Amino acid sequence: MAKISDYFGENVFDERAMKACLPADVFLSLKKTIDEGAQLDPDVANVVADAMKDWAIGKGATHFTHWFQPLTGITAEKHDSFIAPAEDGGVIMEFSGKELIKGEPDASSFPSGGLRATFEARGYTAWDPTSFAFIKGKTFCIPTAFCSYGGEALDKKTPLLRSMEALSHQAVRILKLMGDDKVRSVRSSVGPEQEYFLITREMFDQRPDLRFTGRTLFGAKPLKGQEMDDHYFGVIKPKVQEFMNELNEELWKLGILAKTEHNEVAPAQHELAPIYSTTNIATDHNQLTMEIMQKVAAKHGLVCLLHEKPFAGVNGSGKHNNWSISTDYGTNLLSPGDTPAENLKFLLFLCAVIKAVDDYQDLLRISVATAGNDHRLGANEAPPAVISIFLGDELTGILEAIEQDKPYEGVEKVQMKLGVDVLPKFNRDTTDRNRTSPFAFTGNKFEFRMLGSSNSIACANIMLNSAVADTLAIFADRLEASQDFDAALHEIIRESIRQHKRIIFNGNGYEESWIKEAVEKRGLLNYRTTPDCMPHLLDPKNVDMLMRQKVYNEAELKSRCEIMLENYNRTVVIEANTMAGMAKIHIVPAVEKYCADLAGAAAAKRSVCPELACRFERGMVSDLTALIDEIMEQTGELEKVIASTNEIENVVQRSEYIRDVVLPKMCELRVPCDEAETMTARSYWPFPTYGDLLYGVH
Ligand code: ADP
Ligand code: MG
């Protein structure tokens, strides 16, 4: 058995590979580009490209691709081989600096939300040297940003990089004002915990709903669900363990720090968490992780479901975005620390996050909004659609004491006077746990828990970074303009607590009473669905902030709003069509056949014993026939409302119609179908049941 350290990162052109393959001066100049964003000299780029090509070919690669993240939410690649014709009729392998730095894929088929008409098909991809290139299969993949010819971002990486820069810029301003003169940059780090389901390929293939939509659209409750709570952290089954082992190896070869694996709450549900890294890299790695999970599952006769709600009545899958910010010399700014000066810094950054989350609740909600995630948020299993922050009793107590200028009556009795007195030492293990909060402080980081399992983490981090950057900018402006620095700092902290404490909630987020309190008493936003929240992306306050931080321009925001709503609409319409089809051509014929056989059995019995009542057969035939009629009626109605969606031009109105009319009709059709499943003999039912799917992998 090879040791992990021997093959970790072997498919990545990382710093070790760069050092080994590049002349020393070229390595240094590339490193400067990576660390400081300096422009890469074209001659240097040619040397780098050539070394990359030799390294990749040495590892069996035949093609290269610019690897990018268009707004579809998955990654895209167009492979070009390294070959170029040689004069003698053979080929040579070529790869130039120009090809490394810039690509021009035909961009017309990627969603642009009106940013780029199809006749202006040119878009270009630009190398992101801060994320290492890697080999996947036989292809050398170069992480890139994807822009329109006019320079508008058509992807998720570009705004993410812009938001990281904005955050760094504003955080450095604050730190410098607080006397830190060694800080050069600040970066946000993320550790995303990824949930997923594993089912057998054989069963997956038998279900059109899973194949076309990633979730089951029908399915009666299984005889055993998750009521026993016996799956969470349970013993991992051998077949699942084999999958996890291979997945880990593949991820390690790509330099992805896969760390934790365990069973989740629902049967067949599992989780994988990597060690955290810089947001940009964590995002690339999470996209790769999701892709490789599916590939490795296929090799094991399994399918990995990344949908947020594959099974009704069973916990769905999310992604916890553990987020923190730290300086280039490694100090975590969200770590309470134990010296007063650090505490003051911590309190200021903490207040910036609290204010940012309160002021931009809507943007955070928008950043996780998809048709799939709408099934989770607010369904008593995932955080609600209302955003609030969990701080734990200790921190909340400290903030209250600061706000009221009172002594803190916590673990230690300490007079709270900022900047002068000693703040209590925070013991991070005493911060209690709360699983129901959408945004929880967990010792030295915030855990944003509303992301859906299939979401790119880019969106949430773009909004989080931008909102915190903007808040820090407000703080920095005030501090710069103040006559008395300590007093201004004190006032900023107190004022932030006073104005934004409504967002802090340490109780049970799953309770209906909390939603009532949040909305009615505290005035927090409750956008339950994608059509509810998405249009607010274009609210002036949001557009202004994102433009101020240079993360998006107005055209980019409009395009995103339209694309996200269009995604929602298309997703639900595909589901509705799939449902109608399954009901008509799978379920009804199966139930019909069962009825016919029951009727035939009754007739046969009566031909032998004419006095038999055949109550069972007659009862079943009568009940099932009534269900068949109802199913056909509901299917007809669903088809009608699907057709009506085409008549609504406006994308917002179409999404509202889909939410208010199409989705409820789908629920109505599901009822008689699921009932028929519980009455139809097993051998007649056309699909694997919930019980089969959830308990099928051993
Ligand atoms: P859990 O919430 O399941 O107990 P852990 O504490 O193990 O999770 O951490 C979950 C994730 O948070 C991991 O990906 C881990 O690397 C990441 N993480 C830990 N510390 C930080 C940090 N300072 N910043 C960002 N992510 C972090
Ligand atoms: Mg966690």
Side-chain angles (χ1 to χ4, degrees):
M1 277 275 278
K3 283 195 299 200
I4 301 174
S5 54
D6 291 342
Y7 63 85
F8 185 85
E10 71 175 20
N11 291 340
V12 187
F13 194 72
D14 58 14
E15 247 182 74
R16 294 173 303 176
M18 288 174 194
K19 249 192 195 139
C21 303
L22 294 170
D25 56 329
V26 173
F27 171 73
L28 285 179
S29 126
L30 178 57
K31 185 101 174 70
K32 208 168 148 67
T33 301
I34 295 172
D35 293 344
E36 296 165 26
Q39 275 257 289
L40 199 62
D41 188 283
D43 290 338
V44 174
N46 276 327
V47 180
V48 174
D50 206 52
M52 280 176 160
K53 176 203 69 185
D54 289 341
W55 174 86
I57 290 172
K59 295 203 166 272
T62 54
H63 289 68
F64 69 91
T65 182
H66 276 199
W67 183 78
F68 57 103
Q69 297 167 26
L71 297 169
T72 49
I74 50 171
T75 54
E77 39 196 84
K78 173 184 147 227
H79 299 178
D80 278 306
S81 72
F82 286 117
I83 61 166
E87 282 189 6
D88 61 2
V91 290
I92 51 168
M93 304 302 250
E94 265 186 9
F95 183 50
S96 67
K98 220 174 114 217
E99 287 172 302
L100 165 65
I101 289 175
K102 188 170 163 189
E104 291 199 20
D106 176 356
S108 56
S109 303
F110 292 107
S112 74
L115 273 183
R116 176 191 23 69
T118 29
F119 57 86
E120 304 166 334
R122 265 198 304 180
Y124 65 88
T125 48
W127 178 34
D128 167 19
T130 61
S131 181
F132 297 136
F134 55 91
I135 293 176
K136 207 172 55 164
K138 288 190 168 297
T139 304
F140 180 58
C141 300
I142 302 149
T144 53
F146 180 41
C147 304
S148 76
Y149 207 70
E152 278 110 357
L154 294 175
D155 68 347
K156 300 188 176 176
K157 186 188 266 282
T158 308
L160 180 64
L161 291 171
R162 291 175 185 159
S163 76
M164 289 168 70
E165 207 161 307
L167 181 61
S168 177
H169 180 68
Q170 301 302 342
V172 166
R173 267 181 81 197
I174 293 275
L175 291 172
K176 290 223 148 108
L177 284 167
M178 293 183 88
D180 179 341
D181 40 46
K182 74 177 164 171
V183 64
R184 282 159 58 221
S185 62
V186 165
R187 53 177 62 151
S188 58
S189 304
V190 168
E193 302 166 59
Q194 175 75 49
E195 292 181 340
Y196 60 96
F197 279 85
L198 282 180
I199 60 168
T200 73
R201 169 105 230 165
E202 199 193 339
M203 292 186 203
F204 174 86
D205 284 341
Q206 294 172 52
R207 296 218 39 147
D209 46 4
L210 285 175
R211 277 171 37 227
F212 300 143
T213 74
R215 73 176 179 111
T216 54
L217 300 166
F218 299 104
K221 223 167 109 56
L223 299 178
K224 180 182 176 206
Q226 63 188 53
E227 47 281 274
M228 299 293 287
D229 284 331
D230 53 357
H231 194 254
Y232 190 57
F233 283 13
V235 177
I236 298 171
K237 297 194 179 114
K239 204 157 165 59
V240 174
Q241 189 62 62
E242 282 167 29
F243 159 83
M244 288 178 172
N245 292 348
E246 187 172 341
L247 175 62
N248 285 335
E249 271 171 41
E250 291 302 316
L251 295 176
W252 289 332
K253 283 188 207 161
L254 283 168
I256 298 174
L257 294 156
K259 172 86 173 163
T260 312
E261 58 193 24
H262 60 80
N263 287 349
E264 258 302 328
V265 175
Q269 193 184 32
H270 313 280
E271 181 183 296
L272 178 133
I275 297 174
Y276 68 99
S277 51
T278 306
T279 313
N280 172 31
I281 291 169
T283 304
D284 285 357
H285 282 179
N286 184 250
Q287 292 297 126
L288 269 176
T289 300
M290 291 194 284
E291 183 184 327
I292 290 167
M293 277 176 161
Q294 313 206 37
K295 280 198 183 138
V296 172
K299 282 171 74 179
H300 290 256
L302 302 171
V303 174
C304 171
L305 302 177
L306 289 169
H307 194 283
E308 283 75 18
K309 192 71 182 176
F311 306 100
V314 175
N315 260 35
S317 299
K319 185 140 55 188
H320 291 176
N321 189 83
N322 294 274
W323 177 91
S324 68
I325 38 184
S326 52
T327 63
D328 54 318
Y329 54 84
T331 297
N332 179 352
L333 297 165
L334 295 178
S335 181
D338 36 42
T339 60
E342 266 178 18
N343 275 353
L344 204 53
K345 226 184 264 174
F346 164 73
L347 282 172
L348 189 65
F349 280 95
L350 178 71
C351 285
V353 176
I354 292 171
K355 175 169 161 58
V357 171
D358 188 27
D359 285 342
Y360 297 100
Q361 297 162 46
D362 44 2
L363 287 182
L364 291 175
R365 171 67 184 92
I366 287 165
S367 76
V368 300
T370 59
N373 214 15
D374 281 1
H375 295 291
R376 286 174 68 239
L377 302 176
N380 291 338
E381 55 163 59
V386 177
I387 311 243
S388 63
I389 299 180
F390 168 83
L391 287 181
D393 294 339
E394 190 177 2
L395 260 188
T396 307
I398 289 170
L399 295 191
E400 268 165 16
I402 293 173
E403 188 204 350
Q404 294 156 14
D405 235 343
K406 281 197 328 218
Y408 171 59
E409 307 276 355
V411 203
E412 301 160 62
K413 283 206 173 180
V414 187
Q415 177 73 35
M416 303 290 294
K417 267 213 173 157
L418 293 176
V420 199
D421 272 287
V422 180
L423 293 178
K425 184 171 158 183
F426 300 82
N427 186 346
R428 101 166 154 111
D429 294 329
T430 66
T431 44
D432 19 2
R433 287 251 164 190
N434 177 319
R435 293 251 156 229
T436 63
S437 174
F439 201 92
F441 184 70
T442 47
N444 63 352
K445 62 186 190 297
F446 277 99
E447 188 169 339
F448 184 28
R449 302 195 177 118
M450 285 171 83
L451 286 76
S453 47
S454 68
N455 288 168
S456 158
I457 62 170
C459 306
N461 289 295
I462 291 168
M463 294 310 176
L464 197 50
N465 289 343
S466 307
V468 174
D470 199 64
T471 310
L472 291 172
I474 295 169
F475 289 179
D477 288 347
R478 275 177 66 175
L479 289 172
E480 272 168 7
S482 71
Q483 306 295 326
D484 178 343
F485 185 86
D486 283 352
L489 190 61
H490 194 157
E491 191 43 38
I492 287 174
I493 291 177
R494 285 192 54 193
E495 188 187 291
S496 302
I497 299 168
R498 206 178 313 125
Q499 291 177 351
H500 301 287
K501 62 182 176 192
R502 65 170 186 166
I503 197 85
I504 298 166
F505 175 64
N506 293 327
N508 182 355
Y510 291 1
E511 269 171 21
E512 202 44 51
S513 60
W514 158 239
I515 305 299
K516 221 169 128 63
E517 178 185 331
V519 176
E520 289 170 15
K521 288 216 187 94
R522 302 195 187 201
L524 299 178
L525 297 172
N526 184 16
Y527 293 136
R528 296 183 62 92
T529 67
T530 303
D532 288 327
C533 66
M534 200 52 74
H536 294 286
L537 181 59
L538 302 180
D539 286 357
K541 89 170 204 323
N542 294 334
V543 174
D544 289 349
M545 185 278 278
L546 291 164
M547 286 181 63
R548 211 162 38 233
Q549 292 309 317
K550 301 193 171 52
V551 174
Y552 287 112
N553 64 33
E554 198 167 355
E556 287 170 342
L557 284 169
K558 281 192 174 141
S559 80
R560 269 150 184 84
C561 182
E562 184 171 326
I563 289 170
M564 295 308 291
L565 283 170
E566 207 51 272
N567 274 350
Y568 173 88
N569 294 345
R570 287 191 188 140
T571 304
V572 182
V573 168
I574 291 171
E575 289 177 349
N577 275 321
T578 306
M579 265 193 118
M582 285 172 77
K584 267 202 311 209
I585 63 178
H586 293 273
I587 295 177
V588 165
V591 181
E592 275 286 328
K593 174 88 174 64
Y594 182 49
C595 281
D597 287 356
L598 283 171
K605 285 186 197 174
R606 290 226 256 194
S607 71
V608 181
C609 299
E611 69 280 9
L612 286 177
C614 292
R615 280 202 305 279
F616 166 69
E617 289 87 348
R618 285 174 53 194
M620 288 295 281
V621 169
S622 149
D623 291 351
L624 284 172
T625 303
L627 280 177
I628 289 171
D629 289 345
E630 197 188 331
I631 293 170
M632 288 312 292
E633 225 165 84
Q634 297 281 3
T635 304
E637 282 180 32
L638 180 60
E639 285 173 331
K640 251 190 248 147
V641 302
I642 296 171
S644 308
T645 59
N646 294 325
E647 286 152 29
I648 308 169
E649 283 278 321
N650 179 289
V651 68
V652 179
Q653 283 165 7
R654 191 157 63 246
S655 71
E656 287 165 353
Y657 179 82
I658 285 174
R659 174 196 62 199
D660 297 335
V661 181
V662 179
L663 276 167
K665 274 268 165 278
M666 289 164 64
C667 294
E668 278 173 47
L669 169 59
R670 182 170 178 151
V671 175
C673 292
D674 287 358
E675 198 178 338
E677 183 190 324
T678 64
M679 294 166 63
T680 304
R682 194 50 218 276
S683 55
Y684 289 76
W685 197 250
F687 317 118
T689 64
Y690 268 29
D692 300 333
L693 292 163
L694 292 166
Y695 296 96
V697 180
H698 301 287

